[in-house]
């Protein structure tokens, strides 16, 4: 199946600063989902993007789906300590049904107060 | 309060023993999944079930087995054939294939 790559693997951010994490697929995705996993916790669904070029916002988080539907980004403004965790993107595997999601390795975010 | 319950939270076993991880959901979801998470890696799909009495292999099914006799339950057995069973196991469910996944709290399995 296709691979979903995330960069960077680690993001160390000063509180109050902005940062962006990127998700790239080798093939076109029908949709992309983002999840957040707090340390010691389980992944929690954040958002799903379906349309080419789609942009969705959740307070300080902005999610974007690329025009070619092969990449996505998550931008966080004014980072807070509550943003600590690992952010995963996931998309359906090529040639498979939508049940088989391929997860990226995640971007682990730490925040310096 | 709807959700997914995984038990136990921590599990310790000796090498060569089979072990079964429990997963129950009361969300009335048709689909259920088992993922494995290792440090520094994303989630890898072990098995999934689109509907009761049916399941398919995921990307790393070797050494694992599942059953789906009831809509609410999707237990995972880690057999002695699994070469590296120590990991964090996450169960999830979704309404349909394109619906978001709801995860349980996970079971951390240690095999020595």
């Amino acid at each position: 199946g296709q691979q979903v790559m995330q960069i960077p693997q680690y993001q160390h951010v000063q509180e109050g600063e902005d940062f962006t994490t990127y998700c790239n697929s080798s093939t076109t995705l029908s949709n992309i989902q983002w999840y957040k996993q707090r340390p010691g916790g389980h992944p929690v669904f954040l958002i799903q993007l379906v349309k080419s070029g789609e942009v969705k916002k959740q307070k300080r988080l902005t999610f974007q789906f690329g025009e070619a539907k092969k990449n996505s980004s998550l931008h966080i403004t004014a980072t807070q300590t509550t943003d600590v965790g690992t952010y995963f993107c996931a998309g359906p595997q090529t040639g498979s049904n939508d049940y088989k999601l391929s997860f990226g390795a995640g971007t682990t975010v730490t925040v310096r107060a | 309060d709807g959700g997914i319950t995984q038990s136990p939270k921590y599990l310790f076993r000796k090498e060569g023993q089979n072990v079964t991880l429990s997963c129950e959901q009361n969300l009335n979801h048709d689909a259920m999944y088992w993922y494995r998470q290792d440090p520094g890696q994303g989630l890898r799909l072990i098995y999934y079930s689109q509907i009761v009495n049916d399941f398919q292999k995921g990307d790393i099914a070797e050494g694992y087995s599942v059953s789906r006799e009831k809509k609410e339950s999707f237990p995972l057995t880690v057999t002695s054939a699994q070469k590296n069973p120590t990991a964090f196991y996450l169960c999830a469910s979704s309404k349909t294939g394109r619906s978001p996944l709801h995860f349980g709290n996970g079971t951390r399995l240690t095999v020595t």
Side-chain angles (χ1 to χ4, degrees), chain A residues 35 37 42 48 93 98-99, chain B residues 37 50 59 98 101 104-105:
Chain A
Y35 293 81
Q37 184 175 23
H42 59 276
Q48 182 178 40
Q93 293 184 17
D98 286 334
Y99 292 88
Chain B
Q37 186 173 33
Q50 295 176 235
D59 300 314
R98 285 205 176 186
L101 298 179
N105 289 334

Side-chain angles (χ1 to χ4, degrees), chain A residues 1 9-10 30-31 33 35 37 40-45 48 50 88 93 96-106, chain B residues 31 33 35 37 40-43 45 48-50 57-59 88 90 94 96-101 103-106 108:
Chain A
Q9 186 176 2
Y10 298 99
S30 61
N31 71 90
Q33 300 173 27
Y35 293 81
Q37 184 175 23
H42 59 276
V44 174
F45 172 75
Q48 182 178 40
V50 179
F88 294 100
Q93 293 184 17
S96 179
N97 58 46
D98 286 334
Y99 292 88
K100 295 187 74 174
L101 283 181
S102 178
F103 277 79
Chain B
Y33 312 78
Y35 285 90
Q37 186 173 33
Q41 296 192 35
L43 283 65
L45 183 63
Y48 68 101
S49 168
Q50 295 176 235
K57 292 182 180 179
D59 300 314
F88 188 46
L90 287 158
S94 69
T96 68
R98 285 205 176 186
S99 303
L101 298 179
F103 286 89
N105 289 334
R108 196 166 296 277

Side-chain angles (χ1 to χ4, degrees), chain B residues 58-100:
Chain B
D59 300 314
I60 54 165
E62 187 176 347
Y64 299 98
S65 66
V66 293
S67 63
R68 186 84 188 277
E69 297 175 2
K70 296 188 300 181
K71 187 175 185 176
E72 302 79 19
S73 179
F74 193 40
L76 172 75
T77 296
V78 184
T79 75
S80 56
Q82 167 51 232
K83 290 180 172 45
N84 296 298
T86 295
F88 188 46
Y89 290 88
L90 287 158
C91 179
S93 72
S94 69
K95 198 166 185 177
T96 68
R98 285 205 176 186
S99 303

Side-chain angles (χ1 to χ4, degrees), chain B residues 16-50:
Chain B
Q17 293 179 336
N18 291 355
V19 59
T20 297
L21 280 58
S22 169
C23 178
E24 302 278 332
Q25 57 103 354
N26 60 6
L27 298 167
N28 199 32
H29 286 171
D30 283 321
M32 295 188 74
Y33 312 78
W34 275 104
Y35 285 90
R36 170 181 172 141
Q37 186 173 33
D38 295 282
Q41 296 192 35
L43 283 65
R44 293 185 289 166
L45 183 63
I46 304 172
Y47 268 98
Y48 68 101
S49 168
Q50 295 176 235

Side-chain angles (χ1 to χ4, degrees), chain A residues 13-18 77-80 111-112:
Chain A
V13 189
Q14 180 71 41
E15 191 174 15
E17 289 185 343
D18 302 351
T77 58
T79 304
Q80 299 177 0
V111 179
R112 298 189 299 273

Side-chain angles (χ1 to χ4, degrees), chain A residues 11-83:
Chain A
Q11 184 82 52
H12 308 290
V13 189
Q14 180 71 41
E15 191 174 15
E17 289 185 343
D18 302 351
F19 75 90
T20 303
T21 176
Y22 300 90
C23 179
N24 299 300
S25 169
S26 54
T27 58
T28 302
L29 300 169
S30 61
N31 71 90
I32 195 154
Q33 300 173 27
W34 284 88
Y35 293 81
K36 177 183 178 180
Q37 184 175 23
R38 294 185 186 274
H42 59 276
V44 174
F45 172 75
L46 293 176
I47 206 128
Q48 182 178 40
L49 304 170
V50 179
K51 298 176 185 174
S52 168
E54 188 171 14
V55 177
K56 286 188 177 180
K57 291 190 176 185
Q58 287 181 351
K59 296 182 181 178
R60 295 178 295 103
L61 277 61
T62 301
F63 302 84
Q64 187 165 6
F65 202 7
E67 293 291 340
K69 300 181 77 172
K70 294 176 74 172
N71 56 69
S72 181
S73 65
L74 160 58
H75 180 78
I76 299 182
T77 58
T79 304
Q80 299 177 0
T81 55
T82 53
D83 296 321

